Amino acid sequence: MDTCEGDSGGPLGVKLFNVGGALIPLVTGVVSFGTPCTAGSTGVYSKVSEYVEWIQRTTNLSLGYRDCTLESFCVGRPKETINVAYNTFYTKSRFGLLWKESDSPSNDCGATLIDYQYLLTAASCVKSSKGYPKFVISESGERAAISDVYVSPSYRAGRPESDLALLKIAKYANHQVYRPVCLWDRRSDGEWKSKPEFFAYGLEDQFDKFVFVTARNGTGCDEELVRGTDLQCFHNEVPLMPGVCWMDHGGPIIDQSVWGEPVNMYGIVSPLSRSCGSNLFMVDVTPHIPWIEAIVVGKRDQFLVFSD
């Protein structure tokens, strides 16, 4: 209904989730004044965000979301089961993109090994203002030069459909270290056998930095946007703490990440997926398998976009 007399100075708060489901209480306002607390009464609150810099300067503490989250794993903090959680990607098939060999790894875009010399990523990642990437880098820091870049012939810049590209590396990946994923073909394999798991990144100094977001179905997706395209949309409105999890655009969407088991790839993370707590968009790999096979198996020259 409202806060009442005697509540002045008290908190107006919300609770958001950290990756893994820890509940983080956040103070958004401080009770200031208002009319008597009856139905239809008015309450006025001081907006805490206007004073964060002053609070931090006065207390000599950093109270941002990231720092608050780092304190979230104390004993006894309430937790709930959510679909955003840390995990390990055992196949070592996810790579990052580099534009210079000396660049440090970043989480801007991911690519997935689908063959010992080919990786699948987003066309919008390789056709950025930075130009084509020149190297891929594994999670262990091993770099490999990119020799060829192939962009889906049906991709149009600025459009989310057919946002796929293939990268050919100059040397074969070590089969004793890296294992390519399998492409799930719904025409022959049927519908997905499990809910798609989106690849994402969390705070790197907590646990494993890999985060998997399990897709949720439901209302709330932009059906007009995806109807008749290779895009799939999954409703995923989770009240996450801002800035604790980033979607891996161009990265893999898989069926599982279990040690020793084959990993099937359903598609890649579309840049339409803004954050781990928002609606999730996938570029379905099935319609593009004939094109991918044409590149990897043969008839490659007609699709070649870039070559060193």
Side-chain angles (χ1 to χ4, degrees):
M1 183 171 63
D2 190 13
T3 49
C4 294
E5 186 176 354
D7 290 333
S8 295
L12 175 69
V14 297
K15 291 181 179 179
L16 300 181
F17 292 112
N18 182 26
V19 175
L23 274 172
I24 313 294
L26 300 175
V27 177
T28 60
V30 173
V31 180
S32 183
F33 64 93
T35 57
C37 51
T38 59
S41 63
T42 299
V44 179
Y45 303 81
S46 296
K47 192 175 180 180
V48 170
S49 60
E50 300 294 314
Y51 299 92
V52 169
E53 289 186 6
W54 169 74
I55 294 171
Q56 293 184 141
R57 189 169 60 250
T58 303
T59 62
N60 197 30
L61 295 171
S62 177
L63 301 172
Y65 290 122
R66 180 184 175 89
D67 299 283
C68 183
T69 301
L70 289 173
E71 302 297 326
S72 68
F73 291 96
C74 60
V75 175
R77 182 174 295 283
K79 291 190 69 175
E80 293 187 15
T81 300
I82 62 172
N83 63 323
V84 183
Y86 291 96
N87 206 335
T88 301
F89 196 32
Y90 291 109
T91 64
K92 302 184 186 298
S93 58
R94 190 272 180 194
F95 287 72
L97 305 183
L98 298 179
W99 280 257
K100 295 180 181 179
E101 188 173 9
S102 59
D103 286 347
S104 299
S106 69
N107 300 339
D108 291 344
C109 282
T112 309
L113 197 69
I114 62 169
D115 173 86
Y116 286 105
Q117 208 173 6
Y118 286 89
L119 299 96
L120 190 63
T121 186
S124 55
C125 287
V126 304
K127 291 179 69 68
S128 69
S129 59
K130 296 183 290 185
Y132 294 113
K134 298 298 191 296
F135 298 87
V136 296
I137 183 169
S138 70
E139 297 304 324
S140 63
E142 187 174 7
R143 289 164 166 80
I146 297 172
S147 61
D148 299 312
V149 176
Y150 303 84
V151 175
S152 169
S154 52
Y155 172 69
R156 299 293 178 266
R159 298 288 302 168
E161 305 94 337
S162 302
D163 192 356
L164 286 175
L166 278 170
L167 308 175
K168 182 181 179 182
I169 53 178
K171 296 181 179 180
Y172 288 96
N174 186 342
H175 72 279
Q176 294 181 324
V177 178
Y178 305 104
R179 187 175 65 180
V181 300
C182 303
L183 300 183
W184 186 274
D185 189 341
R186 289 194 289 144
R187 299 167 302 178
S188 57
D189 301 327
E191 289 303 311
W192 304 308
K193 65 179 182 180
S194 61
K195 292 182 179 179
E197 291 190 346
F198 283 66
F199 199 90
Y201 273 89
L203 294 177
E204 297 184 12
D205 41 8
Q206 289 181 12
F207 303 108
D208 196 315
K209 63 181 177 180
F210 298 149
V211 175
F212 284 99
V213 186
T214 305
R216 286 178 172 175
N217 288 319
T219 59
C221 279
D222 193 342
E223 299 298 336
E224 292 295 326
L225 177 64
V226 304
R227 186 178 297 118
T229 72
D230 58 353
L231 294 168
Q232 298 279 340
C233 181
F234 302 91
H235 181 58
N236 190 53
E237 294 298 333
V238 179
L240 280 180
M241 292 276 290
V244 298
C245 187
W246 300 267
M247 296 307 300
D248 187 35
H249 295 157
I253 301 171
I254 59 175
D255 63 346
Q256 62 179 347
S257 56
V258 179
W259 176 255
E261 294 292 326
V263 174
N264 294 300
M265 184 177 183
Y266 295 147
I268 69 166
V269 179
S270 168
L272 290 174
S273 302
R274 299 301 181 189
S275 70
C276 298
S278 65
N279 284 342
L280 303 173
F281 291 88
M282 175 179 74
V283 181
D284 188 356
V285 73
T286 291
H288 303 279
I289 288 178
W291 167 71
I292 293 171
E293 289 179 339
I295 300 295
V296 176
V297 178
K299 300 180 181 178
R300 304 170 184 175
D301 293 341
Q302 61 181 308
F303 297 109
L304 187 61
V305 172
F306 159 77
S307 178
D308 275 344

